[in-house]
mmCIF file of all heavy atoms in Angstrom:
data_model
loop_
_atom_site.group_PDB
_atom_site.id
_atom_site.type_symbol
_atom_site.label_atom_id
_atom_site.label_comp_id
_atom_site.label_asym_id
_atom_site.label_seq_id
_atom_site.Cartn_x
_atom_site.Cartn_y
_atom_site.Cartn_z
ATOM 1 N N GLY Y 481 0.823 -1.214 0.000
ATOM 2 C CA GLY Y 481 0.000 0.000 0.000
ATOM 3 C C GLY Y 481 0.851 1.256 0.000
ATOM 4 O O GLY Y 481 0.429 2.296 -0.489
ATOM 5 N N ASP Y 482 2.046 1.179 0.558
ATOM 6 C CA ASP Y 482 3.035 2.253 0.466
ATOM 7 C C ASP Y 482 4.416 1.668 0.718
ATOM 8 O O ASP Y 482 4.554 0.501 1.097
ATOM 9 C CB ASP Y 482 2.716 3.454 1.373
ATOM 10 C CG ASP Y 482 3.068 3.280 2.840
ATOM 11 O OD1 ASP Y 482 3.705 2.284 3.227
ATOM 12 O OD2 ASP Y 482 2.702 4.163 3.633
ATOM 13 N N GLU Y 483 5.437 2.467 0.494
ATOM 14 C CA GLU Y 483 6.809 1.965 0.579
ATOM 15 C C GLU Y 483 7.328 1.805 2.002
ATOM 16 O O GLU Y 483 8.425 1.278 2.206
ATOM 17 C CB GLU Y 483 7.741 2.896 -0.195
ATOM 18 C CG GLU Y 483 7.794 4.303 0.378
ATOM 19 C CD GLU Y 483 8.570 5.267 -0.501
ATOM 20 O OE1 GLU Y 483 9.816 5.234 -0.434
ATOM 21 O OE2 GLU Y 483 7.922 6.036 -1.222
ATOM 22 N N TYR Y 484 6.552 2.206 3.002
ATOM 23 C CA TYR Y 484 7.043 2.201 4.375
ATOM 24 C C TYR Y 484 6.549 1.014 5.188
ATOM 25 O O TYR Y 484 6.954 0.835 6.321
ATOM 26 C CB TYR Y 484 6.642 3.504 5.079
ATOM 27 C CG TYR Y 484 7.085 4.712 4.293
ATOM 28 C CD1 TYR Y 484 6.170 5.474 3.586
ATOM 29 C CD2 TYR Y 484 8.429 5.058 4.214
ATOM 30 C CE1 TYR Y 484 6.592 6.566 2.838
ATOM 31 C CE2 TYR Y 484 8.852 6.138 3.467
ATOM 32 C CZ TYR Y 484 7.922 6.890 2.775
ATOM 33 O OH TYR Y 484 8.341 7.956 2.026
ATOM 34 N N GLN Y 485 5.673 0.203 4.640
ATOM 35 C CA GLN Y 485 5.144 -0.927 5.393
ATOM 36 C C GLN Y 485 5.977 -2.181 5.185
ATOM 37 O O GLN Y 485 6.716 -2.301 4.210
ATOM 38 C CB GLN Y 485 3.674 -1.185 5.022
ATOM 39 C CG GLN Y 485 3.440 -1.474 3.575
ATOM 40 C CD GLN Y 485 1.964 -1.527 3.196
ATOM 41 O OE1 GLN Y 485 1.657 -2.188 2.241
ATOM 42 N NE2 GLN Y 485 1.080 -0.861 3.874
ATOM 43 N N THR Y 486 5.837 -3.108 6.134
ATOM 44 C CA THR Y 486 6.489 -4.402 6.061
ATOM 45 C C THR Y 486 5.401 -5.460 6.000
ATOM 46 O O THR Y 486 4.423 -5.378 6.748
ATOM 47 C CB THR Y 486 7.345 -4.642 7.328
ATOM 48 O OG1 THR Y 486 8.290 -3.575 7.437
ATOM 49 C CG2 THR Y 486 8.070 -5.961 7.271
ATOM 50 N N VAL Y 487 5.566 -6.434 5.108
ATOM 51 C CA VAL Y 487 4.567 -7.492 4.960
ATOM 52 C C VAL Y 487 5.244 -8.828 5.192
ATOM 53 O O VAL Y 487 6.316 -9.104 4.644
ATOM 54 C CB VAL Y 487 3.916 -7.467 3.556
ATOM 55 C CG1 VAL Y 487 2.838 -8.551 3.449
ATOM 56 C CG2 VAL Y 487 3.323 -6.094 3.247
ATOM 57 N N THR Y 488 4.618 -9.658 6.023
ATOM 58 C CA THR Y 488 5.100 -11.022 6.220
ATOM 59 C C THR Y 488 4.008 -11.996 5.783
ATOM 60 O O THR Y 488 2.819 -11.691 5.890
ATOM 61 C CB THR Y 488 5.485 -11.296 7.691
ATOM 62 O OG1 THR Y 488 4.356 -11.036 8.522
ATOM 63 C CG2 THR Y 488 6.653 -10.443 8.131
ATOM 64 N N ARG Y 489 4.440 -13.139 5.295
ATOM 65 C CA ARG Y 489 3.499 -14.168 4.827
ATOM 66 C C ARG Y 489 3.694 -15.421 5.660
ATOM 67 O O ARG Y 489 4.810 -15.924 5.803
ATOM 68 C CB ARG Y 489 3.745 -14.462 3.345
ATOM 69 C CG ARG Y 489 2.901 -15.612 2.819
ATOM 70 C CD ARG Y 489 3.130 -15.883 1.345
ATOM 71 N NE ARG Y 489 4.541 -15.986 1.045
ATOM 72 C CZ ARG Y 489 5.053 -15.828 -0.157
ATOM 73 N NH1 ARG Y 489 4.282 -15.554 -1.182
ATOM 74 N NH2 ARG Y 489 6.348 -15.942 -0.361
ATOM 75 N N GLU Y 490 2.592 -15.925 6.194
ATOM 76 C CA GLU Y 490 2.606 -17.194 6.939
ATOM 77 C C GLU Y 490 1.713 -18.158 6.176
ATOM 78 O O GLU Y 490 0.582 -17.822 5.830
ATOM 79 C CB GLU Y 490 2.053 -16.989 8.356
ATOM 80 C CG GLU Y 490 1.866 -18.269 9.123
ATOM 81 C CD GLU Y 490 1.003 -18.103 10.376
ATOM 82 O OE1 GLU Y 490 0.727 -16.963 10.786
ATOM 83 O OE2 GLU Y 490 0.580 -19.140 10.917
ATOM 84 N N ILE Y 491 2.252 -19.348 5.909
ATOM 85 C CA ILE Y 491 1.452 -20.381 5.236
ATOM 86 C C ILE Y 491 1.169 -21.468 6.266
ATOM 87 O O ILE Y 491 2.093 -22.106 6.781
ATOM 88 C CB ILE Y 491 2.191 -20.966 4.016
ATOM 89 C CG1 ILE Y 491 2.518 -19.842 3.022
ATOM 90 C CG2 ILE Y 491 1.335 -22.055 3.363
ATOM 91 C CD1 ILE Y 491 3.391 -20.268 1.864
ATOM 92 N N ARG Y 492 -0.102 -21.627 6.570
ATOM 93 C CA ARG Y 492 -0.495 -22.612 7.580
ATOM 94 C C ARG Y 492 -0.545 -24.010 6.968
ATOM 95 O O ARG Y 492 -0.557 -24.180 5.757
ATOM 96 C CB ARG Y 492 -1.843 -22.223 8.179
ATOM 97 C CG ARG Y 492 -1.753 -20.911 8.949
ATOM 98 C CD ARG Y 492 -3.038 -20.549 9.613
ATOM 99 N NE ARG Y 492 -2.902 -19.297 10.363
ATOM 100 C CZ ARG Y 492 -3.912 -18.551 10.719
ATOM 101 N NH1 ARG Y 492 -5.155 -18.890 10.417
ATOM 102 N NH2 ARG Y 492 -3.703 -17.444 11.403
ATOM 103 N N GLN Y 493 -0.622 -25.009 7.829
ATOM 104 C CA GLN Y 493 -0.617 -26.410 7.406
ATOM 105 C C GLN Y 493 -1.725 -26.721 6.410
ATOM 106 O O GLN Y 493 -1.528 -27.494 5.478
ATOM 107 C CB GLN Y 493 -0.765 -27.310 8.640
ATOM 108 C CG GLN Y 493 -0.493 -28.754 8.346
ATOM 109 C CD GLN Y 493 0.630 -29.281 9.193
ATOM 110 O OE1 GLN Y 493 1.061 -28.655 10.132
ATOM 111 N NE2 GLN Y 493 1.129 -30.444 8.852
ATOM 112 N N ASP Y 494 -2.891 -26.107 6.578
ATOM 113 C CA ASP Y 494 -4.016 -26.381 5.671
ATOM 114 C C ASP Y 494 -3.951 -25.568 4.376
ATOM 115 O O ASP Y 494 -4.865 -25.616 3.564
ATOM 116 C CB ASP Y 494 -5.350 -26.131 6.382
ATOM 117 C CG ASP Y 494 -5.580 -24.666 6.740
ATOM 118 O OD1 ASP Y 494 -4.673 -23.820 6.538
ATOM 119 O OD2 ASP Y 494 -6.690 -24.350 7.222
ATOM 120 N N GLY Y 495 -2.861 -24.805 4.177
ATOM 121 C CA GLY Y 495 -2.708 -24.014 2.962
ATOM 122 C C GLY Y 495 -3.177 -22.575 3.092
ATOM 123 O O GLY Y 495 -2.945 -21.762 2.198
ATOM 124 N N THR Y 496 -3.850 -22.260 4.179
ATOM 125 C CA THR Y 496 -4.303 -20.879 4.408
ATOM 126 C C THR Y 496 -3.095 -19.961 4.489
ATOM 127 O O THR Y 496 -2.083 -20.297 5.102
ATOM 128 C CB THR Y 496 -5.119 -20.786 5.720
ATOM 129 O OG1 THR Y 496 -6.287 -21.597 5.578
ATOM 130 C CG2 THR Y 496 -5.535 -19.362 6.033
ATOM 131 N N VAL Y 497 -3.215 -18.790 3.859
ATOM 132 C CA VAL Y 497 -2.133 -17.818 3.861
ATOM 133 C C VAL Y 497 -2.574 -16.601 4.670
ATOM 134 O O VAL Y 497 -3.674 -16.076 4.460
ATOM 135 C CB VAL Y 497 -1.753 -17.397 2.426
ATOM 136 C CG1 VAL Y 497 -0.701 -16.303 2.440
ATOM 137 C CG2 VAL Y 497 -1.263 -18.607 1.639
ATOM 138 N N VAL Y 498 -1.718 -16.171 5.592
ATOM 139 C CA VAL Y 498 -1.977 -14.968 6.384
ATOM 140 C C VAL Y 498 -0.908 -13.945 6.014
ATOM 141 O O VAL Y 498 0.293 -14.219 6.137
ATOM 142 C CB VAL Y 498 -1.939 -15.258 7.902
ATOM 143 C CG1 VAL Y 498 -2.174 -13.983 8.696
ATOM 144 C CG2 VAL Y 498 -2.958 -16.326 8.268
ATOM 145 N N LEU Y 499 -1.369 -12.788 5.542
ATOM 146 C CA LEU Y 499 -0.461 -11.681 5.226
ATOM 147 C C LEU Y 499 -0.617 -10.641 6.324
ATOM 148 O O LEU Y 499 -1.703 -10.103 6.524
ATOM 149 C CB LEU Y 499 -0.815 -11.066 3.872
ATOM 150 C CG LEU Y 499 -0.754 -11.995 2.665
ATOM 151 C CD1 LEU Y 499 -1.248 -11.279 1.425
ATOM 152 C CD2 LEU Y 499 0.658 -12.537 2.468
ATOM 153 N N LYS Y 500 0.459 -10.388 7.046
ATOM 154 C CA LYS Y 500 0.441 -9.384 8.111
ATOM 155 C C LYS Y 500 1.135 -8.137 7.587
ATOM 156 O O LYS Y 500 2.304 -8.185 7.210
ATOM 157 C CB LYS Y 500 1.130 -9.888 9.370
ATOM 158 C CG LYS Y 500 1.033 -8.916 10.539
ATOM 159 C CD LYS Y 500 1.606 -9.505 11.814
ATOM 160 C CE LYS Y 500 1.459 -8.546 12.973
ATOM 161 N NZ LYS Y 500 1.970 -9.123 14.223
ATOM 162 N N VAL Y 501 0.381 -7.034 7.546
ATOM 163 C CA VAL Y 501 0.878 -5.765 7.026
ATOM 164 C C VAL Y 501 1.132 -4.842 8.210
ATOM 165 O O VAL Y 501 0.210 -4.513 8.953
ATOM 166 C CB VAL Y 501 -0.152 -5.127 6.061
ATOM 167 C CG1 VAL Y 501 0.409 -3.859 5.453
ATOM 168 C CG2 VAL Y 501 -0.573 -6.114 4.988
ATOM 169 N N VAL Y 502 2.383 -4.437 8.382
ATOM 170 C CA VAL Y 502 2.758 -3.594 9.513
ATOM 171 C C VAL Y 502 3.257 -2.247 8.983
ATOM 172 O O VAL Y 502 4.293 -2.177 8.325
ATOM 173 C CB VAL Y 502 3.849 -4.262 10.382
ATOM 174 C CG1 VAL Y 502 4.201 -3.391 11.578
ATOM 175 C CG2 VAL Y 502 3.405 -5.650 10.827
ATOM 176 N N PRO Y 503 2.505 -1.161 9.267
ATOM 177 C CA PRO Y 503 2.970 0.163 8.851
ATOM 178 C C PRO Y 503 4.045 0.666 9.819
ATOM 179 O O PRO Y 503 4.369 -0.018 10.792
ATOM 180 C CB PRO Y 503 1.703 1.019 8.952
ATOM 181 C CG PRO Y 503 0.911 0.371 10.042
ATOM 182 C CD PRO Y 503 1.220 -1.099 9.942
ATOM 183 N N GLN Y 504 4.560 1.857 9.572
ATOM 184 C CA GLN Y 504 5.557 2.419 10.494
ATOM 185 C C GLN Y 504 4.978 2.542 11.901
ATOM 186 O O GLN Y 504 5.693 2.328 12.866
ATOM 187 C CB GLN Y 504 6.044 3.775 9.992
ATOM 188 C CG GLN Y 504 6.973 3.655 8.810
ATOM 189 C CD GLN Y 504 7.427 5.000 8.310
ATOM 190 O OE1 GLN Y 504 6.622 5.912 8.130
ATOM 191 N NE2 GLN Y 504 8.719 5.130 8.073
ATOM 192 N N ARG Y 505 3.704 2.898 12.012
ATOM 193 C CA ARG Y 505 3.040 2.872 13.326
ATOM 194 C C ARG Y 505 2.537 1.459 13.526
ATOM 195 O O ARG Y 505 1.410 1.114 13.190
ATOM 196 C CB ARG Y 505 1.874 3.873 13.375
ATOM 197 C CG ARG Y 505 2.352 5.278 13.619
ATOM 198 C CD ARG Y 505 1.319 6.225 14.158
ATOM 199 N NE ARG Y 505 0.576 5.724 15.293
ATOM 200 C CZ ARG Y 505 -0.660 6.106 15.574
ATOM 201 N NH1 ARG Y 505 -1.286 6.987 14.825
ATOM 202 N NH2 ARG Y 505 -1.289 5.625 16.617
ATOM 203 N N ALA Y 506 3.405 0.612 14.059
ATOM 204 C CA ALA Y 506 3.203 -0.836 14.113
ATOM 205 C C ALA Y 506 1.909 -1.276 14.798
ATOM 206 O O ALA Y 506 1.359 -2.319 14.458
ATOM 207 C CB ALA Y 506 4.398 -1.495 14.794
ATOM 208 N N GLU Y 507 1.413 -0.501 15.738
ATOM 209 C CA GLU Y 507 0.191 -0.907 16.445
ATOM 210 C C GLU Y 507 -1.038 -0.896 15.532
ATOM 211 O O GLU Y 507 -2.086 -1.420 15.876
ATOM 212 C CB GLU Y 507 -0.048 -0.025 17.686
ATOM 213 C CG GLU Y 507 -0.427 1.412 17.394
ATOM 214 C CD GLU Y 507 0.764 2.343 17.203
ATOM 215 O OE1 GLU Y 507 1.903 1.880 17.035
ATOM 216 O OE2 GLU Y 507 0.538 3.557 17.214
ATOM 217 N N LEU Y 508 -0.923 -0.337 14.345
ATOM 218 C CA LEU Y 508 -2.036 -0.265 13.400
ATOM 219 C C LEU Y 508 -1.986 -1.391 12.360
ATOM 220 O O LEU Y 508 -2.575 -1.269 11.291
ATOM 221 C CB LEU Y 508 -2.035 1.093 12.686
ATOM 222 C CG LEU Y 508 -2.138 2.321 13.591
ATOM 223 C CD1 LEU Y 508 -2.055 3.595 12.757
ATOM 224 C CD2 LEU Y 508 -3.418 2.305 14.396
ATOM 225 N N TYR Y 509 -1.322 -2.510 12.663
ATOM 226 C CA TYR Y 509 -1.156 -3.584 11.682
ATOM 227 C C TYR Y 509 -2.499 -4.138 11.215
ATOM 228 O O TYR Y 509 -3.535 -3.953 11.851
ATOM 229 C CB TYR Y 509 -0.265 -4.696 12.234
ATOM 230 C CG TYR Y 509 -0.938 -5.578 13.255
ATOM 231 C CD1 TYR Y 509 -1.620 -6.717 12.863
ATOM 232 C CD2 TYR Y 509 -0.887 -5.271 14.607
ATOM 233 C CE1 TYR Y 509 -2.251 -7.527 13.793
ATOM 234 C CE2 TYR Y 509 -1.504 -6.069 15.544
ATOM 235 C CZ TYR Y 509 -2.181 -7.190 15.129
ATOM 236 O OH TYR Y 509 -2.813 -7.983 16.055
ATOM 237 N N TYR Y 510 -2.459 -4.818 10.087
ATOM 238 C CA TYR Y 510 -3.645 -5.367 9.436
ATOM 239 C C TYR Y 510 -3.294 -6.783 8.993
ATOM 240 O O TYR Y 510 -2.152 -7.037 8.598
ATOM 241 C CB TYR Y 510 -3.939 -4.502 8.205
ATOM 242 C CG TYR Y 510 -5.381 -4.279 7.859
ATOM 243 C CD1 TYR Y 510 -6.192 -3.455 8.625
ATOM 244 C CD2 TYR Y 510 -5.931 -4.858 6.718
ATOM 245 C CE1 TYR Y 510 -7.506 -3.211 8.277
ATOM 246 C CE2 TYR Y 510 -7.245 -4.623 6.362
ATOM 247 C CZ TYR Y 510 -8.028 -3.801 7.140
ATOM 248 O OH TYR Y 510 -9.338 -3.571 6.793
ATOM 249 N N GLU Y 511 -4.248 -7.694 9.041
ATOM 250 C CA GLU Y 511 -4.004 -9.056 8.567
ATOM 251 C C GLU Y 511 -5.031 -9.440 7.521
ATOM 252 O O GLU Y 511 -6.230 -9.221 7.699
ATOM 253 C CB GLU Y 511 -4.063 -10.065 9.719
ATOM 254 C CG GLU Y 511 -2.866 -10.031 10.609
ATOM 255 C CD GLU Y 511 -2.852 -11.158 11.629
ATOM 256 O OE1 GLU Y 511 -3.910 -11.725 11.936
ATOM 257 O OE2 GLU Y 511 -1.766 -11.455 12.130
ATOM 258 N N TYR Y 512 -4.543 -10.011 6.440
ATOM 259 C CA TYR Y 512 -5.395 -10.574 5.396
ATOM 260 C C TYR Y 512 -5.281 -12.087 5.486
ATOM 261 O O TYR Y 512 -4.181 -12.622 5.659
ATOM 262 C CB TYR Y 512 -4.928 -10.140 4.008
ATOM 263 C CG TYR Y 512 -5.088 -8.667 3.718
ATOM 264 C CD1 TYR Y 512 -4.052 -7.781 3.951
ATOM 265 C CD2 TYR Y 512 -6.273 -8.176 3.196
ATOM 266 C CE1 TYR Y 512 -4.180 -6.430 3.667
ATOM 267 C CE2 TYR Y 512 -6.421 -6.825 2.905
ATOM 268 C CZ TYR Y 512 -5.371 -5.961 3.141
ATOM 269 O OH TYR Y 512 -5.504 -4.622 2.856
ATOM 270 N N ILE Y 513 -6.413 -12.779 5.350
ATOM 271 C CA ILE Y 513 -6.422 -14.235 5.399
ATOM 272 C C ILE Y 513 -6.993 -14.748 4.081
ATOM 273 O O ILE Y 513 -8.088 -14.353 3.678
ATOM 274 C CB ILE Y 513 -7.265 -14.747 6.590
ATOM 275 C CG1 ILE Y 513 -6.647 -14.239 7.904
ATOM 276 C CG2 ILE Y 513 -7.367 -16.266 6.562
ATOM 277 C CD1 ILE Y 513 -7.493 -14.500 9.130
ATOM 278 N N VAL Y 514 -6.236 -15.612 3.417
ATOM 279 C CA VAL Y 514 -6.672 -16.211 2.156
ATOM 280 C C VAL Y 514 -6.763 -17.722 2.388
ATOM 281 O O VAL Y 514 -5.748 -18.382 2.639
ATOM 282 C CB VAL Y 514 -5.694 -15.910 0.999
ATOM 283 C CG1 VAL Y 514 -6.205 -16.527 -0.299
ATOM 284 C CG2 VAL Y 514 -5.488 -14.406 0.841
ATOM 285 N N ARG Y 515 -8.004 -18.235 2.328
ATOM 286 C CA ARG Y 515 -8.247 -19.676 2.521
ATOM 287 C C ARG Y 515 -8.509 -20.312 1.154
ATOM 288 O O ARG Y 515 -9.106 -19.692 0.274
ATOM 289 C CB ARG Y 515 -9.464 -19.896 3.412
ATOM 290 C CG ARG Y 515 -9.250 -19.524 4.846
ATOM 291 C CD ARG Y 515 -10.499 -19.845 5.701
ATOM 292 N NE ARG Y 515 -10.275 -19.456 7.068
ATOM 293 C CZ ARG Y 515 -10.443 -18.218 7.539
ATOM 294 N NH1 ARG Y 515 -10.869 -17.273 6.742
ATOM 295 N NH2 ARG Y 515 -10.195 -17.933 8.803
ATOM 296 N N PHE Y 516 -8.114 -21.560 1.029
ATOM 297 C CA PHE Y 516 -8.348 -22.283 -0.212
ATOM 298 C C PHE Y 516 -9.261 -23.466 0.058
ATOM 299 O O PHE Y 516 -9.093 -24.176 1.048
ATOM 300 C CB PHE Y 516 -7.025 -22.787 -0.804
ATOM 301 C CG PHE Y 516 -6.112 -21.674 -1.216
ATOM 302 C CD1 PHE Y 516 -5.046 -21.294 -0.413
ATOM 303 C CD2 PHE Y 516 -6.340 -20.988 -2.400
ATOM 304 C CE1 PHE Y 516 -4.206 -20.264 -0.793
ATOM 305 C CE2 PHE Y 516 -5.504 -19.947 -2.779
ATOM 306 C CZ PHE Y 516 -4.440 -19.586 -1.974
ATOM 307 N N GLU Y 517 -10.230 -23.640 -0.819
ATOM 308 C CA GLU Y 517 -11.110 -24.802 -0.756
ATOM 309 C C GLU Y 517 -11.000 -25.536 -2.080
ATOM 310 O O GLU Y 517 -11.192 -24.940 -3.141
ATOM 311 C CB GLU Y 517 -12.564 -24.378 -0.509
ATOM 312 C CG GLU Y 517 -12.816 -23.855 0.893
ATOM 313 C CD GLU Y 517 -14.287 -23.539 1.158
ATOM 314 O OE1 GLU Y 517 -15.124 -23.722 0.248
ATOM 315 O OE2 GLU Y 517 -14.583 -23.103 2.275
ATOM 316 N N LYS Y 518 -10.666 -26.798 -1.996
ATOM 317 C CA LYS Y 518 -10.574 -27.621 -3.202
ATOM 318 C C LYS Y 518 -11.942 -28.245 -3.448
ATOM 319 O O LYS Y 518 -12.511 -28.867 -2.551
ATOM 320 C CB LYS Y 518 -9.520 -28.716 -3.040
ATOM 321 C CG LYS Y 518 -8.114 -28.202 -2.975
ATOM 322 C CD LYS Y 518 -7.147 -29.363 -2.873
ATOM 323 C CE LYS Y 518 -5.721 -28.868 -2.798
ATOM 324 N NZ LYS Y 518 -4.767 -29.984 -2.697
ATOM 325 N N LYS Y 519 -12.442 -28.075 -4.673
ATOM 326 C CA LYS Y 519 -13.710 -28.712 -5.026
ATOM 327 C C LYS Y 519 -13.445 -30.207 -5.216
ATOM 328 O O LYS Y 519 -12.416 -30.584 -5.787
ATOM 329 C CB LYS Y 519 -14.289 -28.114 -6.288
ATOM 330 C CG LYS Y 519 -14.863 -26.734 -6.077
ATOM 331 C CD LYS Y 519 -15.640 -26.312 -7.291
ATOM 332 C CE LYS Y 519 -16.265 -24.950 -7.014
ATOM 333 N NZ LYS Y 519 -17.093 -24.506 -8.124
ATOM 334 N N MET Y 520 -14.338 -30.983 -4.722
ATOM 335 C CA MET Y 520 -14.203 -32.427 -4.865
ATOM 336 C C MET Y 520 -15.179 -32.889 -5.955
ATOM 337 O O MET Y 520 -16.269 -32.348 -6.094
ATOM 338 C CB MET Y 520 -14.542 -33.138 -3.550
ATOM 339 C CG MET Y 520 -13.641 -32.744 -2.412
ATOM 340 S SD MET Y 520 -11.999 -33.325 -2.763
ATOM 341 C CE MET Y 520 -11.136 -32.740 -1.342
ATOM 342 N N SER Y 521 -14.754 -33.888 -6.660
ATOM 343 C CA SER Y 521 -15.616 -34.451 -7.704
ATOM 344 C C SER Y 521 -16.796 -35.167 -7.049
ATOM 345 O O SER Y 521 -16.645 -35.850 -6.032
ATOM 346 C CB SER Y 521 -14.826 -35.437 -8.566
ATOM 347 O OG SER Y 521 -15.685 -36.118 -9.440
#
C-alpha cells in the first residue's frame, strides 16, 4: 500500500495464507487471510 510498510506471509498447514501488514506505526497492523477450498468431484 506504500513503501514504508512491512509485509510477512505465513502459510499454515491447511494451505491458508496470512499476510500481516505492519505500517511504520506498528500498532495499526492489518491481517489478510486467504483460505483455499478444493472442489471435490
Side-chain angles (χ1 to χ4, degrees):
D482 79 8
E483 63 188 280
Y484 306 106
Q485 59 188 206
T486 303
V487 182
T488 57
R489 174 179 50 201
E490 172 194 348
I491 302 173
R492 295 183 179 160
Q493 192 121 12
D494 66 355
T496 297
V497 175
V498 178
L499 300 175
K500 185 174 182 178
V501 184
V502 182
Q504 286 179 313
R505 280 201 49 208
E507 69 273 14
L508 301 177
Y509 75 90
Y510 216 72
E511 285 188 338
Y512 293 93
I513 299 171
V514 181
R515 289 183 181 83
F516 295 101
E517 289 184 0
K518 292 182 180 180
K519 286 191 177 183
M520 299 294 179
S521 172

